[in-house]
Amino acid sequence: MSERTPLLHYRLSASVNESGEHRRDEHEPRSPATDRRRPAAKQPPKLNTFFGVVIPTLLSMFSVVVFLRIGFVVGQCGLYQTIAMLLVAYFIISMTVLSVCAISTNGALDAGGAYYMISRALGPEFGGSIGIMFFLANVCGSALFVLGLVEAILTTFGISDDGSSLTGSRYAALPTGYWWSLLYGTVILLLCVLVCLVGAHIYAKATFLIFIIVMVVLGTIFISFFAVPFRTVQLPGHRNASLGPTSANFTGFKLDTLLGNVQADYVVDYTTGVMMSFATVFAVMFNGCTGIMAGSNMSGDLKNPSYSIPRGTITAVIFTFVIYNLLSILISCTCDRILLQQDYGFLTDINVWHPLVTVGVYSSTLSAAMSNLIGASRILYALARDNLLGRFLSPAKHTSASGNPWVSVLISWIFVQLVLFSGKLNTIASIVTIFFLLVYAAVDLACLALEWASAPNFRPTFRYFTWHTCVLGIMGCAVMMFLINAIYASASIAFMLLLLLLIHYLSPVSSWGCISQALIFHQLNETISLVTAVNKKSGLYVLGHVQLGDLDVLPSDPLQSQYDSWLSLVDHLNIKAFVNLTLADSVRHGVQHLLFISGLGGMRPNTLVLGFYDDIPPQDLLQDTSLSICKFTDNSSQTDDPEDQNDPPCHFPPVRGGVSVGRGGVWGGKSMGPQEYVCVIADAVKMLKNVALARYFGQFDRTQALQGPIFVDVWPVNLLRPDSAAYVDTCSLFLLQLACILNMTRAWQKAKLRLFLCVEEGRSLKGTEQKLRHLLKELRMKAEICTVPWDSQVALHWQRQTRSEKIEEMESEEGGVEADKVFANSFPSNTSRVSDEYLQAVNKLILDQMLRPPAIRFLYLPRPPADTSRYHDYLNQLELLTRNLGPTLLIHGVTPVITTDL
């Protein structure tokens, strides 16, 4: 006689590595006992939102562009194209900022900023290659700002070959030329390195002082547009009378001046001798937008990166957008076109006090150079710590006593020094812009992949993004990359792909999940009824069947003829799943086979879903008239009648003596007793599989359940151990995870999670509830916490406990369970001997906590007792606890799938 045992497995792959093992890290909730065993390490001081995100981002985005290139952009493009250029640039970065905010609020961030986000979302190969590109972008960006500072210094203090000042300044004293510029850049870079070697805290203090200076200078610039009268400005010394005018005018607010500046007029850039175009000017201007990652680069040095990065970055982006547009309009209304095209430092000449702008230029550019240098070092440190390039980057792991990666700073310094040999700011502007655009596109791609794959741990608290914004960001970045320079863009992508292959062969197996796994298994993601909804978030689903028999006494494998039947069933139910069939001498051994062999490569199902063992007749939903090809026959009744050859039967033997199979897969013919049923549960737990027992789902009416207010009740406490008050053990967290995943699916998004907190009189209710709220916040879960007093129920437990202990002591003296007692000490149970009165009282307590019945309940499933003689009592306890509760899932979790990590 055959036995049909549908087994439902699925894998939550976003938090599990390729071998199916979970990576526990520092961000994961731990038990208090674990925390007590670990000594607290001395942490370096952390930065808040203003110092750690707002200031670095503002200074990086202002830097060269606001003081040295805003006039260049308006002079070349005109006001109309300048505003259009700003809108395009800020549209691109805004889409990326939304993606950054989403990923950064999806859990704890570590050092590495954008690299950390991308690598944990897209996997080590893609994330590592983009991380290296981002490192190079920051290196080139730092060099660009150093060269900008050199240019600003020589504009004020430089002397030409004939000994005259470049700008007529009486302070001119510095010789000019390629090698002299390289020397000045080297000295400036050395100053930046010294600050970065001290640490992020000193860097934050230095940037705060620079921030104050820059804000004061910006204030005087805006005042100067209104306060300074008509003024003639001498153009830099590269011009002479034979080549054109040597001076230009600051006219103040005049309509003629504005009309002369609204249209584009591209000319040769006097610093490089290259003819300008919209693309080349955009490449220079976009460097004023590349600082949006300055705050996220500091993620490892922030107090609360998930809080600080979204707020600080958005604030800085809005502020700089307003400033750039105001400056563009004011410049267009007050400055001659020739002044804008031939004197990039004109803001100094028109200011109410000339030296003040010079100080602002020096300060902001120096800060931007330091910001990119420290960002590059943090990315390099994160790459080295992940061992993506093996021993090649191993020296970069070293840190100082305060946690500063000083070796990474030195390596970054060497790379920046090499880039300084390019000599001119505008020469490397296109390369820097393309590198940053590639990184921004990768961030958008990471967020898009997480959203499309429905990764179960992707629950960002920042919700002002959709997959549409990600796609727009990717498209905008790609178009602008090739518009700026198609050759550079193609070379950058080719270089990134080369790095991807290199990292694939050099890097060890990563300990974090890969989005490619989630994307693959997103295609295998729908199961029957509620399991369909729970498993929809990126899971591998296997439908298992155990047939009793012995292959030694059979003429052939009886399973081969059944595969087509099961595949037809899968098609009929419109689910995407694998089918695994096995032949065994018992159901228990068959389930063991399935648990051992199920999976695809390194992807191993980690959860077993079983129907509840009770005496309720199962409802056979497979004997539906629409499934006309399936005939439910006993094996003995199968014939070779040729009339039936055109209508092949489905090999689904009747269950429980002819009664149809139910929706959770109850056991056929009751040939498997309660002892073996609990053994199956115990085996799964020993094999580190999560277990879910589904009861009363024959009563589940999906249409009716999802109408009106929908509630999902979660009871994370072990109700069979009333003396246990731990709400954050692995089982509780897995329980929360499944309820949250159900709430994330489209059909259940309107459902309201209710988390029941059982409290006793005299306990600190406020403190317990506050801790639970904090945990829910860290796990990005929205749930209503309902406090339930259960003093009377607990009292029933303790009244019986003393008597039970005496009985247990008498049994142990008889020696009947001595061996089991020894085993229990090494393999303890999280159940206790509770009375039927207590269980009935708790059952009534659960039923009473509702004005409207919930669509489903999630309850804590304790592991089976170590003493196998108590298996019947264990199953009876579960039956009494869940009696008449309606659709209920009893969950036991052994995989800590919930983390506050990405």
Side-chain angles (χ1 to χ4, degrees):
M1 181 176 179
S2 67
E3 192 80 41
R4 181 165 72 243
T5 61
L7 307 177
L8 310 182
H9 310 256
Y10 72 97
R11 181 183 190 277
L12 303 175
S13 60
S15 298
V16 193
N17 63 20
E18 292 182 341
S19 64
E21 298 173 354
H22 175 75
R23 174 179 61 89
R24 177 174 285 277
D25 54 41
E26 67 273 18
H27 304 297
E28 225 173 278
R30 297 183 176 90
S31 66
T34 304
D35 291 337
R36 286 194 298 269
R37 290 194 298 267
R38 299 190 176 189
K42 183 179 180 181
Q43 296 292 331
K46 298 292 185 177
L47 306 176
N48 59 21
T49 303
F50 185 69
F51 284 97
V53 181
V54 175
I55 291 180
T57 305
L58 277 177
L59 294 179
S60 295
M61 297 184 73
F62 279 152
S63 61
V64 174
V65 173
V66 72
F67 293 119
L68 296 181
R69 289 298 183 267
I70 190 68
F72 160 78
V73 175
V74 176
Q76 296 283 348
C77 299
L79 180 61
Y80 292 159
Q81 287 193 14
T82 298
I83 294 177
M85 195 178 289
L86 286 170
L87 289 174
V88 171
Y90 272 83
F91 173 79
I92 293 174
I93 67 168
S94 295
M95 299 299 101
T96 303
V97 166
L98 295 180
S99 298
V100 170
C101 294
I103 298 178
S104 64
T105 58
N106 188 50
L109 285 178
D110 209 335
Y115 157 71
Y116 187 86
M117 300 177 192
I118 297 170
S119 63
R120 268 52 180 180
L122 300 182
E125 292 90 353
F126 195 84
S129 58
I130 286 293
I132 294 175
M133 299 295 289
F134 196 29
F135 165 75
L136 295 176
N138 278 272
V139 164
C140 294
S142 181
L144 180 140
F145 294 129
V146 169
L147 292 174
L149 181 54
V150 171
E151 181 181 309
I153 292 174
L154 293 180
T155 300
T156 305
F157 301 104
I159 56 175
S160 61
D161 295 337
D162 58 5
S164 61
S165 171
L166 293 177
T167 58
S169 172
R170 63 178 182 272
Y171 303 108
L174 298 177
T176 59
Y178 172 79
W179 293 107
W180 284 108
S181 297
L182 181 61
L183 175 62
Y184 304 147
T186 301
V187 174
I188 294 169
L189 179 60
L190 184 61
L191 176 62
C192 296
V193 171
L194 292 176
V195 174
C196 294
L197 283 175
V198 175
H201 202 60
I202 298 300
Y203 162 76
K205 292 181 179 179
T207 54
F208 177 69
L209 177 61
I210 295 174
F211 172 75
I212 297 297
I213 296 173
V214 170
M215 291 300 103
V216 171
V217 173
L218 277 176
T220 62
I221 289 175
F222 280 107
I223 293 173
S224 299
F225 285 115
F226 297 93
V228 174
F230 179 90
R231 178 176 291 179
T232 300
V233 179
Q234 290 296 123
L235 296 178
H238 64 279
R239 301 283 300 178
N240 58 57
S242 63
L243 297 177
T246 59
S247 63
N249 298 323
F250 173 78
T251 64
F253 288 94
K254 285 190 176 181
L255 181 60
D256 292 340
T257 304
L258 174 61
L259 294 177
N261 287 325
V262 294
Q263 300 296 333
D265 182 18
Y266 294 103
V267 297
V268 175
D269 172 24
Y270 72 81
T271 64
T272 61
V274 177
M275 184 66 185
M276 292 291 101
S277 64
F278 180 88
T280 55
V281 174
F282 180 84
V284 175
M285 188 279 301
F286 193 79
N287 283 287
C289 308
T290 56
I292 60 172
M293 293 292 190
S296 61
N297 287 345
M298 302 292 292
S299 57
D301 300 295
L302 298 174
K303 291 179 180 177
N304 188 349
S306 296
Y307 175 87
S308 299
I309 290 176
R311 289 163 176 78
T313 305
I314 292 175
T315 300
V317 167
I318 294 174
F319 185 79
T320 55
F321 179 73
V322 173
I323 295 298
Y324 279 140
N325 279 279
L326 288 177
L327 282 176
S328 300
I329 295 171
L330 294 174
I331 288 171
S332 299
C333 294
T334 57
C335 299
D336 280 347
R337 193 63 169 260
I338 191 67
L339 176 63
L340 302 179
Q341 293 175 340
Q342 302 299 332
D343 186 4
Y344 299 158
F346 73 98
L347 288 176
T348 301
D349 299 316
I350 69 172
N351 198 264
V352 291
W353 187 47
H354 296 179
L356 196 59
V357 175
T358 302
V359 173
V361 171
Y362 297 169
S363 301
S364 64
T365 313
L366 183 65
S367 171
M370 287 192 296
S371 175
N372 278 264
L373 180 60
I374 201 169
S377 67
R378 278 6 183 217
I379 297 168
L380 184 64
Y381 170 67
L383 286 165
R385 196 174 58 175
D386 287 340
N387 293 320
L388 292 187
L389 293 178
R391 295 182 179 180
F392 182 73
L393 288 180
S394 58
K397 298 179 185 179
H398 296 290
T399 62
S400 63
S402 62
N404 186 34
W406 61 274
V407 177
S408 296
V409 173
L410 293 179
I411 296 175
S412 302
W413 167 51
I414 294 173
F415 275 88
V416 176
Q417 183 65 54
L418 293 175
V419 179
L420 288 180
F421 282 95
S422 63
K424 294 292 182 180
L425 183 152
N426 287 5
T427 304
I428 61 174
S430 297
I431 299 175
V432 174
T433 301
I434 288 175
F435 278 0
F436 275 109
L437 283 170
L438 189 60
V439 173
Y440 294 166
V443 173
D444 290 322
L445 180 61
C447 191
L448 177 66
L450 289 169
E451 180 71 7
W452 274 0
S454 299
N457 270 12
F458 187 57
R459 300 187 298 272
T461 56
F462 183 88
R463 297 303 304 171
Y464 300 101
F465 82 100
T466 66
W467 67 267
H468 304 85
T469 62
C470 301
V471 171
L472 289 174
I474 295 171
M475 293 175 59
C477 291
V479 170
M480 294 313 303
M481 281 173 58
F482 285 91
L483 184 62
I484 291 170
N485 193 309
I487 296 177
Y488 286 172
S490 301
S492 299
I493 295 174
F495 181 58
M496 183 196 71
L497 295 177
L498 180 63
L499 290 173
L500 189 148
L501 295 175
L502 184 65
I503 294 174
H504 176 74
Y505 288 106
L506 292 182
S507 65
V509 177
S510 65
S511 58
W512 61 83
C514 175
I515 197 64
S516 60
Q517 302 166 12
L519 286 170
I520 291 171
F521 292 109
H522 180 64
Q523 303 303 317
L524 310 167
N525 63 3
E526 292 191 85
T527 66
I528 299 172
S529 184
L530 181 79
V531 182
T532 301
V534 174
N535 194 40
K536 189 173 184 180
K537 291 296 181 179
S538 192
L540 168 61
Y541 169 51
V542 180
L543 184 62
H545 166 58
V546 178
Q547 178 167 324
L548 298 181
D550 186 356
L551 193 60
D552 291 338
V553 299
L554 294 174
S556 62
D557 182 6
L559 300 178
Q560 296 303 317
S561 61
Q562 299 185 21
Y563 274 103
D564 290 341
S565 302
W566 284 95
L567 293 177
S568 299
L569 172 65
V570 169
D571 291 339
H572 168 72
L573 296 176
N574 194 26
I575 61 176
K576 296 178 181 179
F578 293 115
V579 173
N580 277 356
L581 309 180
T582 187
L583 184 71
D585 58 354
S586 69
V587 174
R588 180 185 181 184
H589 291 163
V591 175
Q592 290 175 353
H593 297 165
L594 292 175
L595 292 177
F596 277 125
I597 66 175
S598 295
L600 182 64
M603 303 298 175
R604 312 296 300 175
N606 68 353
T607 302
L608 171 68
V609 182
L610 302 171
F612 193 81
Y613 189 97
D614 54 26
D615 294 323
I616 299 177
Q619 300 176 13
D620 196 338
L621 301 180
L622 303 182
Q623 285 190 350
D624 190 283
T625 55
S626 62
L627 191 58
S628 57
I629 67 166
C630 284
K631 296 182 178 180
F632 294 83
T633 61
D634 192 281
N635 288 349
S636 61
S637 66
Q638 297 178 12
T639 64
D640 296 330
D641 188 347
E643 295 183 0
D644 292 336
Q645 296 302 316
N646 295 327
D647 193 11
C650 290
H651 295 273
F652 297 144
V655 297
R656 297 196 185 180
V659 183
S660 303
V661 68
R663 189 187 288 230
V666 254
W667 313 100
K670 276 292 196 178
S671 59
M672 183 181 70
Q675 182 79 11
E676 187 176 6
Y677 177 81
V678 180
C679 285
V680 169
I681 300 174
D683 292 343
V685 173
K686 292 177 184 178
M687 297 167 68
L688 298 182
K689 306 295 183 182
N690 309 300
V691 178
L693 306 183
R695 190 177 193 191
Y696 293 122
F697 277 89
Q699 304 173 8
F700 182 74
D701 187 338
R702 180 184 179 87
T703 304
Q704 184 177 358
L706 298 181
Q707 290 180 351
I710 309 170
F711 296 99
V712 176
D713 289 356
V714 182
W715 296 75
V717 67
N718 183 358
L719 296 173
L720 298 191
R721 280 289 299 270
D723 55 326
S724 173
Y727 281 82
V728 290
D729 63 357
T730 298
C731 188
S732 299
L733 293 179
F734 189 77
L735 195 69
L736 291 172
Q737 173 80 326
L738 292 190
C740 184
I741 293 173
L742 177 66
N743 195 211
M744 291 168 65
T745 59
R746 180 175 301 177
W748 292 81
Q749 282 180 347
K750 295 182 180 180
K752 185 176 182 180
L753 295 183
R754 297 187 299 192
L755 187 60
F756 288 89
L757 181 64
C758 299
V759 295
E760 296 181 51
E761 186 178 354
R763 294 282 183 97
S764 177
L765 174 60
K766 185 177 181 181
T768 305
E769 186 173 348
Q770 186 176 4
K771 289 179 181 179
L772 191 55
R773 290 189 186 280
H774 179 70
L775 176 64
L776 292 176
K777 182 179 179 181
E778 280 193 340
L779 300 176
R780 294 95 61 202
M781 292 182 177
K782 292 183 178 179
E784 176 189 358
I785 298 178
C786 304
T787 57
V788 180
W790 68 331
D791 297 82
S792 58
Q793 289 78 18
V794 174
L796 285 174
H797 166 70
W798 290 116
Q799 288 173 5
R800 300 279 181 170
Q801 192 67 15
T802 304
R803 181 172 178 272
S804 298
E805 290 176 353
K806 290 182 178 179
I807 295 175
E808 184 177 318
E809 183 178 351
M810 293 173 60
E811 290 177 350
S812 63
E813 290 176 356
E814 295 175 2
V817 293
E818 188 62 33
D820 288 330
K821 290 296 179 181
V822 175
F823 180 64
N825 292 331
S826 60
F827 194 63
S829 170
N830 58 354
T831 62
S832 63
R833 295 183 181 272
V834 290
S835 64
D836 290 352
E837 292 87 346
Y838 163 77
L839 292 170
Q840 291 167 356
V842 172
N843 176 266
K844 185 176 185 301
L845 175 70
I846 297 174
L847 286 171
D848 290 343
Q849 305 303 317
M850 58 181 182
L851 296 176
R852 174 184 170 88
I856 182 176
R857 288 182 176 88
F858 287 83
L859 267 61
Y860 188 116
L861 174 66
R863 72 184 306 159
D867 183 359
T868 57
S869 65
R870 292 172 54 195
Y871 278 5
H872 286 79
D873 294 337
Y874 170 79
L875 191 57
N876 181 64
Q877 290 174 355
L878 298 181
E879 196 281 327
L880 289 175
L881 179 66
T882 60
R883 182 176 294 176
N884 300 323
L885 290 185
T888 302
L889 272 179
L890 287 157
I891 308 292
H892 181 81
V894 297
T895 306
V897 294
I898 291 184
T899 71
T900 57
D901 203 354
L902 278 177

